[in-house]
Amino acid sequence: MTRTSSNRRDVRTSGPGRGRLQGVPVLLVPAADGGTVQHLAGNGTPTGDRTPLDTALTAARPETRWVWADTAQCYPQLLAAGGRVGRCHDLALTEALLLGYDGRWGRPRSVAAAWSRLHDLPVPDDVDPGEATAEPTLFEPVRSALPAGVDPVSAVAAVYADQLRRIAATEDPGRFSLLVAAESAGALAAFEMTATGLPWSAEVHAAKLTELLGARTSAGVRPARLVELSALIDAAFEGRRTNPDSPADVLAAFTAAGRRIESTRSWVLRKVDHPAVEPLLAYKKLARIHAANGWAWQERWVREGRFRPEYVPGGVVSGRWATRGGGGLQIPKVLRGAVRATLGHILVVADAGQLEPRLLAALSEDPGMATAAQAEDMYAAIAARSFGGDRARAKVGLLGAMYGQVGGQAAAPLAVLRQEYPAALRLLEEAARTGEDGGLVRSHLGRTCPPVGDDWVRTGPAARARGRFTRNFVVQATAAEWALTWLAVVRSQLTTLDAAELVFFAHDELVVHAPAEASEQVVRILYDGALEAGRLLFGSTPVRFPLDVSTVGCYADAG
DNA sequence: ACAGACCGCGCC
DNA sequence: AAAGGGCGCGGTCTGT
């Protein structure tokens, strides 16, 4: 195993894992009478104290931390019953992080599985949440898979204590604790946001669809505008009936028209001189809106004025979230006019600009790059310093370095960067080499990339592809943990405001819906949170994490 | 009829 | 301008 972060800095003095994200653990305990919670000591052993569940929910201090099997199983029910939890330790997410740290990716991560591994017993498969019992109780997922006779409370306590030991045995327990706290807080936020939903005007959305596509049609029937464009495409191909949704058919049509193209990607088509290109590009754009975010989508995903994406925290290997259905992280720009604050409210939209290059600067501690990362526009600062002010070249070079591009336009800027920012480029190239050799790389806080499969061979394209993946992983995964930490801090501070709700999170962007009179406080919380996230991850670093913040009535007006 | 691969494009 | 990282989704196409 190869570490990629050299020049380690001790961040413990600045207190990751000991600050706002940590608290006194409380353990939930199942009971036939509707539930009690059992208290845990700091090392995970039960103290014997018990409190009724509803009392615990209403009387919990903000620093109370709930230790439970799986936020996905426990929290939606609590939220539906009006409960809300400040902090938690999610045993399943933490188990996945710890297994990954040891290079044991994809093993079952449930409490039952962890408990069984702890006792050298056969490990049960994880239960798909979709296949869980019809009326799950808070602890059903724990109880059902544990061997008969094993007390679920003891199992949770034992796994929790074991995880604390394993965290303490990592290379930097302070960092890993912060990762666990942020991952767990993120899971709370994810299920809260699914319950809350993003304010979505079905009327505005429908009006936009009609403007773009024509009147609504029944399912399976192409709207008027698509029919027209399809006819124009046929005409341009001199009557040849062409299915614009079929890349193979479009390719054949161009071949018949004497135009040899290697694919039907829109940027390839744009270079082709043929009358079918224009209607084809228009068709593809609109057909995409119709298929992915049309009337059927609205019917399925928008209810009571809210779009409710189902977030999957930890759904991406880099620690980014995924969504399940509805394409929640891909709301097209042309439809963002439908995201509207309700009466008397505003949306505060904040996104962290140029996050990945800034994290590269912080990770590598490259002096020149760190200086550039103090600027509001980091690409411009790099350009001024090293590219004679040519911002486009600076950006292409930096992105190419982080994504593993070697040729094309990026080649020359890359050589400049290697000369001027050697520590930053070395970090990336070391990560790539580790990946090509089949090794593991980690994020700043210790999230670890998946190992190679059994059938992996250290040859040509496969090795280079893995090198690009691990090269990008160190940056993308660290960006994801910065953003998660930001989210966690903002979430906890927003509880000080009445009726301010987090409604959207997408990789490096947060949207808060709040009463108009609270807007300035929300803005302050977002900025303070970004500052705090940088401090928690890196202690004192010259790197800044500037935000673009807009206070708007409509998402389309942000930015 | 259904499953899975591939394609292309939306987002970051 | 179009090479390189991560996704979800809906379309077609191919194989069973």
Side-chain angles (χ1 to χ4, degrees):
Chain A
M1 182 167 310
T2 308
R3 288 189 43 84
T4 57
S5 55
S6 52
N7 303 320
R8 295 188 32 237
R9 188 195 286 136
D10 186 1
V11 293
R12 271 166 292 199
T13 49
S14 61
R18 291 186 201 171
R20 294 184 189 175
L21 300 181
Q22 199 171 35
V24 181
V26 171
L27 173 64
L28 288 175
V29 176
D33 63 358
T36 57
V37 301
Q38 179 161 327
H39 295 243
L40 288 186
N43 63 3
T45 53
T47 64
D49 294 343
R50 288 180 177 233
T51 314
L53 174 58
D54 47 358
T55 307
L57 279 169
T58 51
R61 291 172 299 160
E63 68 273 17
T64 299
R65 189 150 37 115
W66 299 70
V67 176
W68 58 32
D70 185 348
T71 306
Q73 292 288 328
C74 300
Y75 202 33
Q77 300 165 69
L78 275 183
L79 284 169
R84 195 177 182 284
V85 157
R87 300 154 194 233
C88 77
H89 175 107
D90 182 309
L91 290 164
L93 288 171
T94 303
E95 189 68 21
L97 288 170
L98 284 164
L99 288 167
Y101 187 86
D102 289 335
R104 299 189 292 158
W105 194 269
R107 303 281 206 293
R109 59 181 211 179
S110 69
V111 164
W115 187 90
S116 301
R117 273 192 295 267
L118 203 49
H119 292 83
D120 283 325
L121 292 168
V123 176
D125 285 337
D126 287 343
V127 178
D128 184 336
E131 299 166 10
T133 49
E135 279 185 53
T137 72
L138 279 181
F139 298 92
E140 199 57 42
V142 183
R143 190 164 29 204
S144 59
L146 281 170
V150 178
D151 170 37
V153 179
S154 311
V156 165
V159 170
Y160 177 60
D162 180 56
Q163 289 187 351
L164 292 181
R165 282 191 293 273
R166 289 151 72 196
I167 291 167
T170 61
E171 191 169 348
D172 193 322
R175 289 185 187 178
F176 208 93
S177 300
L178 177 58
L179 177 59
V180 166
E183 188 94 330
S184 298
L188 295 175
F191 291 99
E192 288 163 6
M193 280 192 279
T194 299
T196 301
L198 180 66
W200 188 279
S201 163
E203 291 74 25
V204 172
H205 179 204
K208 189 73 188 176
L209 291 176
T210 302
E211 175 197 326
L212 294 170
L213 297 161
R216 177 174 186 172
T217 53
S218 41
V221 179
R222 283 206 289 219
R225 185 68 188 136
L226 292 182
V227 173
E228 284 169 30
L229 287 165
S230 184
L232 288 174
I233 293 162
D234 288 348
F237 283 126
E238 289 161 3
R240 184 194 192 280
R241 301 264 301 191
T242 305
N243 178 0
D245 290 320
S246 165
D249 201 24
V250 170
L251 214 57
F254 275 107
T255 304
R259 306 293 198 285
R260 200 99 50 92
I261 53 177
E262 69 268 29
S263 79
T264 62
R265 290 184 177 89
S266 55
W267 62 264
V268 172
L269 292 180
R270 253 183 276 279
K271 295 185 303 190
V272 178
D273 179 30
H274 189 276
V277 169
E278 192 190 322
L280 195 49
L281 290 173
Y283 179 94
K284 284 158 81 90
K285 202 165 204 60
L286 293 176
R288 160 94 200 165
I289 297 289
H290 179 237
N293 296 96
W295 292 282
W297 176 90
Q298 184 185 116
E299 199 110 310
R300 167 78 178 81
W301 292 102
V302 179
R303 267 192 305 283
E304 294 160 10
R306 301 264 169 157
F307 167 41
R308 293 188 170 76
E310 292 171 20
Y311 295 100
V312 186
V316 179
V317 292
S318 65
R320 284 180 171 184
W321 293 3
T323 53
R324 186 165 31 225
L329 296 177
Q330 300 142 255
I331 301 168
K333 294 224 156 106
V334 302
L335 294 183
R336 292 186 179 185
V339 180
R340 300 196 160 233
T342 58
L343 195 65
H345 290 65
I346 40 86
L347 296 168
V348 184
V349 180
D351 74 279
Q354 306 170 344
L355 192 52
E356 295 190 353
R358 289 175 192 282
L359 286 161
L360 173 60
L363 277 170
S364 66
E365 299 180 324
D366 185 288
M369 196 165 280
T371 301
Q374 290 180 280
E376 195 75 18
D377 183 346
M378 185 175 166
Y379 297 130
I382 296 265
R385 203 186 162 85
S386 314
F387 290 92
D390 188 341
R391 186 179 182 280
R393 282 187 75 217
K395 184 175 176 177
V396 164
L398 208 43
L399 290 174
M402 291 187 296
Y403 288 155
Q405 184 182 1
V406 289
Q409 291 193 348
L414 274 171
V416 175
L417 291 173
R418 196 171 294 113
Q419 186 73 32
E420 302 254 314
Y421 309 95
L425 274 284
R426 204 179 309 125
L427 183 146
L428 293 169
E429 284 164 4
E430 232 171 73
R433 200 168 332 118
T434 301
E436 288 173 17
D437 287 346
L440 300 178
V441 297
R442 305 194 198 281
S443 71
H444 183 66
L445 296 184
R447 190 187 302 271
T448 306
C449 77
V452 296
D454 295 335
D455 52 351
W456 189 79
V457 279
R458 200 175 298 187
T459 57
R464 282 195 295 278
R466 189 155 191 282
R468 287 193 298 273
F469 166 64
T470 51
R471 168 197 292 266
N472 185 253
F473 181 93
V474 292
V475 179
Q476 186 183 121
T478 304
E481 58 208 17
W482 182 93
L484 261 187
T485 305
W486 180 41
L487 167 69
V489 173
V490 167
R491 173 183 175 271
S492 103
Q493 290 308 107
L494 280 180
T495 59
T496 63
L497 301 179
D498 268 346
E501 41 186 30
L502 273 169
V503 292
F504 191 63
F505 173 61
H507 311 311
D508 61 357
E509 179 179 8
L510 274 173
V511 181
V512 178
H513 185 247
E517 61 271 17
S519 69
E520 285 178 22
Q521 290 153 287
V522 172
V523 169
R524 175 53 47 204
I525 285 170
L526 287 162
Y527 277 118
D528 287 349
L531 214 58
E532 177 77 351
R535 194 186 68 78
L536 284 168
L537 259 71
F538 296 105
S540 71
T541 170
V543 174
R544 291 178 54 233
F545 298 97
L547 302 179
D548 286 325
V549 182
S550 312
T551 301
V552 292
C554 167
Y555 193 17
D557 298 333

mmCIF file of all heavy atoms in Angstrom, chain A residues 28-51:
data_model
loop_
_atom_site.group_PDB
_atom_site.id
_atom_site.type_symbol
_atom_site.label_atom_id
_atom_site.label_comp_id
_atom_site.label_asym_id
_atom_site.label_seq_id
_atom_site.Cartn_x
_atom_site.Cartn_y
_atom_site.Cartn_z
ATOM 1 N N LEU A 28 -29.229 3.742 20.707
ATOM 2 C CA LEU A 28 -30.635 3.362 20.625
ATOM 3 C C LEU A 28 -30.792 1.882 20.933
ATOM 4 O O LEU A 28 -29.999 1.072 20.485
ATOM 5 C CB LEU A 28 -31.162 3.614 19.224
ATOM 6 C CG LEU A 28 -31.364 5.054 18.813
ATOM 7 C CD1 LEU A 28 -31.775 5.111 17.358
ATOM 8 C CD2 LEU A 28 -32.381 5.727 19.693
ATOM 9 N N VAL A 29 -31.833 1.552 21.644
ATOM 10 C CA VAL A 29 -32.056 0.170 22.030
ATOM 11 C C VAL A 29 -33.466 -0.253 21.649
ATOM 12 O O VAL A 29 -34.406 0.487 21.886
ATOM 13 C CB VAL A 29 -31.867 0.006 23.556
ATOM 14 C CG1 VAL A 29 -32.191 -1.407 23.975
ATOM 15 C CG2 VAL A 29 -30.464 0.377 23.929
ATOM 16 N N PRO A 30 -33.635 -1.400 21.039
ATOM 17 C CA PRO A 30 -34.983 -1.838 20.674
ATOM 18 C C PRO A 30 -35.754 -2.329 21.896
ATOM 19 O O PRO A 30 -35.168 -2.856 22.827
ATOM 20 C CB PRO A 30 -34.710 -3.007 19.733
ATOM 21 C CG PRO A 30 -33.410 -3.550 20.202
ATOM 22 C CD PRO A 30 -32.618 -2.379 20.720
ATOM 23 N N ALA A 31 -37.026 -2.118 21.882
ATOM 24 C CA ALA A 31 -37.855 -2.636 22.961
ATOM 25 C C ALA A 31 -39.254 -2.853 22.433
ATOM 26 O O ALA A 31 -39.712 -2.138 21.557
ATOM 27 C CB ALA A 31 -37.878 -1.657 24.132
ATOM 28 N N ALA A 32 -39.906 -3.854 22.968
ATOM 29 C CA ALA A 32 -41.247 -4.201 22.490
ATOM 30 C C ALA A 32 -42.240 -3.077 22.764
ATOM 31 O O ALA A 32 -43.239 -2.938 22.082
ATOM 32 C CB ALA A 32 -41.723 -5.492 23.165
ATOM 33 N N ASP A 33 -41.953 -2.245 23.737
ATOM 34 C CA ASP A 33 -42.929 -1.230 24.156
ATOM 35 C C ASP A 33 -42.819 0.079 23.385
ATOM 36 O O ASP A 33 -43.325 1.103 23.809
ATOM 37 C CB ASP A 33 -42.768 -0.953 25.645
ATOM 38 C CG ASP A 33 -41.395 -0.378 25.957
ATOM 39 O OD1 ASP A 33 -40.581 -0.249 25.017
ATOM 40 O OD2 ASP A 33 -41.139 -0.056 27.124
ATOM 41 N N GLY A 34 -42.130 0.094 22.268
ATOM 42 C CA GLY A 34 -42.066 1.331 21.493
ATOM 43 C C GLY A 34 -40.698 1.955 21.509
ATOM 44 O O GLY A 34 -40.458 2.917 20.792
ATOM 45 N N GLY A 35 -39.786 1.433 22.278
ATOM 46 C CA GLY A 35 -38.412 1.859 22.130
ATOM 47 C C GLY A 35 -37.852 2.646 23.297
ATOM 48 O O GLY A 35 -38.489 3.513 23.869
ATOM 49 N N THR A 36 -36.678 2.269 23.664
ATOM 50 C CA THR A 36 -35.905 3.052 24.615
ATOM 51 C C THR A 36 -34.529 3.263 24.004
ATOM 52 O O THR A 36 -34.190 2.628 23.011
ATOM 53 C CB THR A 36 -35.736 2.323 25.966
ATOM 54 O OG1 THR A 36 -35.130 1.062 25.714
ATOM 55 C CG2 THR A 36 -37.063 2.153 26.659
ATOM 56 N N VAL A 37 -33.782 4.173 24.583
ATOM 57 C CA VAL A 37 -32.393 4.297 24.179
ATOM 58 C C VAL A 37 -31.515 3.904 25.343
ATOM 59 O O VAL A 37 -31.855 4.124 26.497
ATOM 60 C CB VAL A 37 -32.034 5.727 23.711
ATOM 61 C CG1 VAL A 37 -32.906 6.139 22.542
ATOM 62 C CG2 VAL A 37 -32.125 6.723 24.837
ATOM 63 N N GLN A 38 -30.417 3.328 25.009
ATOM 64 C CA GLN A 38 -29.466 2.960 26.047
ATOM 65 C C GLN A 38 -28.225 3.816 25.886
ATOM 66 O O GLN A 38 -27.798 4.106 24.772
ATOM 67 C CB GLN A 38 -29.105 1.482 25.898
ATOM 68 C CG GLN A 38 -28.088 1.039 26.936
ATOM 69 C CD GLN A 38 -28.076 -0.462 27.107
ATOM 70 O OE1 GLN A 38 -29.117 -1.107 26.982
ATOM 71 N NE2 GLN A 38 -26.917 -1.008 27.376
ATOM 72 N N HIS A 39 -27.643 4.232 26.994
ATOM 73 C CA HIS A 39 -26.504 5.136 26.931
ATOM 74 C C HIS A 39 -25.198 4.369 26.896
ATOM 75 O O HIS A 39 -25.069 3.319 27.509
ATOM 76 C CB HIS A 39 -26.526 6.070 28.154
ATOM 77 C CG HIS A 39 -27.708 6.984 28.159
ATOM 78 N ND1 HIS A 39 -27.602 8.336 28.088
ATOM 79 C CD2 HIS A 39 -29.050 6.715 28.203
ATOM 80 C CE1 HIS A 39 -28.818 8.871 28.100
ATOM 81 N NE2 HIS A 39 -29.713 7.907 28.176
ATOM 82 N N LEU A 40 -24.261 4.925 26.168
ATOM 83 C CA LEU A 40 -22.944 4.319 26.051
ATOM 84 C C LEU A 40 -21.906 5.235 26.671
ATOM 85 O O LEU A 40 -22.015 6.457 26.583
ATOM 86 C CB LEU A 40 -22.559 4.138 24.582
ATOM 87 C CG LEU A 40 -23.229 3.084 23.731
ATOM 88 C CD1 LEU A 40 -22.544 3.032 22.380
ATOM 89 C CD2 LEU A 40 -23.139 1.745 24.423
ATOM 90 N N ALA A 41 -20.901 4.633 27.234
ATOM 91 C CA ALA A 41 -19.737 5.415 27.652
ATOM 92 C C ALA A 41 -18.897 5.753 26.421
ATOM 93 O O ALA A 41 -19.127 5.231 25.327
ATOM 94 C CB ALA A 41 -18.911 4.617 28.652
ATOM 95 N N GLY A 42 -17.931 6.603 26.606
ATOM 96 C CA GLY A 42 -17.126 7.055 25.482
ATOM 97 C C GLY A 42 -16.424 5.938 24.741
ATOM 98 O O GLY A 42 -16.174 6.040 23.539
ATOM 99 N N ASN A 43 -16.105 4.849 25.420
ATOM 100 C CA ASN A 43 -15.402 3.755 24.760
ATOM 101 C C ASN A 43 -16.346 2.744 24.137
ATOM 102 O O ASN A 43 -15.921 1.721 23.626
ATOM 103 C CB ASN A 43 -14.480 3.043 25.765
ATOM 104 C CG ASN A 43 -15.265 2.415 26.895
ATOM 105 O OD1 ASN A 43 -16.491 2.455 26.926
ATOM 106 N ND2 ASN A 43 -14.542 1.825 27.837
ATOM 107 N N GLY A 44 -17.658 3.034 24.188
ATOM 108 C CA GLY A 44 -18.611 2.157 23.536
ATOM 109 C C GLY A 44 -19.301 1.164 24.458
ATOM 110 O O GLY A 44 -20.216 0.490 24.037
ATOM 111 N N THR A 45 -18.869 1.087 25.720
ATOM 112 C CA THR A 45 -19.533 0.137 26.601
ATOM 113 C C THR A 45 -20.791 0.755 27.209
ATOM 114 O O THR A 45 -20.803 1.932 27.568
ATOM 115 C CB THR A 45 -18.599 -0.308 27.747
ATOM 116 O OG1 THR A 45 -18.093 0.869 28.388
ATOM 117 C CG2 THR A 45 -17.454 -1.137 27.223
ATOM 118 N N PRO A 46 -21.859 -0.051 27.310
ATOM 119 C CA PRO A 46 -23.114 0.469 27.857
ATOM 120 C C PRO A 46 -22.953 0.891 29.320
ATOM 121 O O PRO A 46 -22.266 0.229 30.092
ATOM 122 C CB PRO A 46 -24.072 -0.720 27.735
ATOM 123 C CG PRO A 46 -23.485 -1.586 26.673
ATOM 124 C CD PRO A 46 -22.003 -1.422 26.794
ATOM 125 N N THR A 47 -23.601 1.999 29.677
ATOM 126 C CA THR A 47 -23.535 2.465 31.060
ATOM 127 C C THR A 47 -24.665 1.883 31.896
ATOM 128 O O THR A 47 -24.638 1.963 33.113
ATOM 129 C CB THR A 47 -23.671 3.992 31.131
ATOM 130 O OG1 THR A 47 -24.973 4.360 30.642
ATOM 131 C CG2 THR A 47 -22.597 4.680 30.306
ATOM 132 N N GLY A 48 -25.679 1.313 31.233
ATOM 133 C CA GLY A 48 -26.839 0.809 31.955
ATOM 134 C C GLY A 48 -27.988 1.795 32.021
ATOM 135 O O GLY A 48 -29.107 1.429 32.334
ATOM 136 N N ASP A 49 -27.721 3.076 31.712
ATOM 137 C CA ASP A 49 -28.808 4.065 31.718
ATOM 138 C C ASP A 49 -29.713 3.874 30.519
ATOM 139 O O ASP A 49 -29.238 3.610 29.424
ATOM 140 C CB ASP A 49 -28.239 5.492 31.671
ATOM 141 C CG ASP A 49 -27.460 5.821 32.925
ATOM 142 O OD1 ASP A 49 -27.643 5.095 33.925
ATOM 143 O OD2 ASP A 49 -26.669 6.773 32.889
ATOM 144 N N ARG A 50 -30.990 4.071 30.753
ATOM 145 C CA ARG A 50 -31.959 3.984 29.669
ATOM 146 C C ARG A 50 -32.923 5.160 29.715
ATOM 147 O O ARG A 50 -33.230 5.675 30.776
ATOM 148 C CB ARG A 50 -32.780 2.691 29.759
ATOM 149 C CG ARG A 50 -31.989 1.471 29.392
ATOM 150 C CD ARG A 50 -32.853 0.217 29.508
ATOM 151 N NE ARG A 50 -32.055 -0.939 29.078
ATOM 152 C CZ ARG A 50 -32.460 -1.792 28.154
ATOM 153 N NH1 ARG A 50 -33.640 -1.651 27.577
ATOM 154 N NH2 ARG A 50 -31.701 -2.806 27.805
ATOM 155 N N THR A 51 -33.377 5.544 28.521
ATOM 156 C CA THR A 51 -34.356 6.632 28.411
ATOM 157 C C THR A 51 -35.369 6.216 27.360
ATOM 158 O O THR A 51 -35.003 5.592 26.370
ATOM 159 C CB THR A 51 -33.667 7.924 27.914
ATOM 160 O OG1 THR A 51 -32.461 8.125 28.654
ATOM 161 C CG2 THR A 51 -34.579 9.124 28.068
#
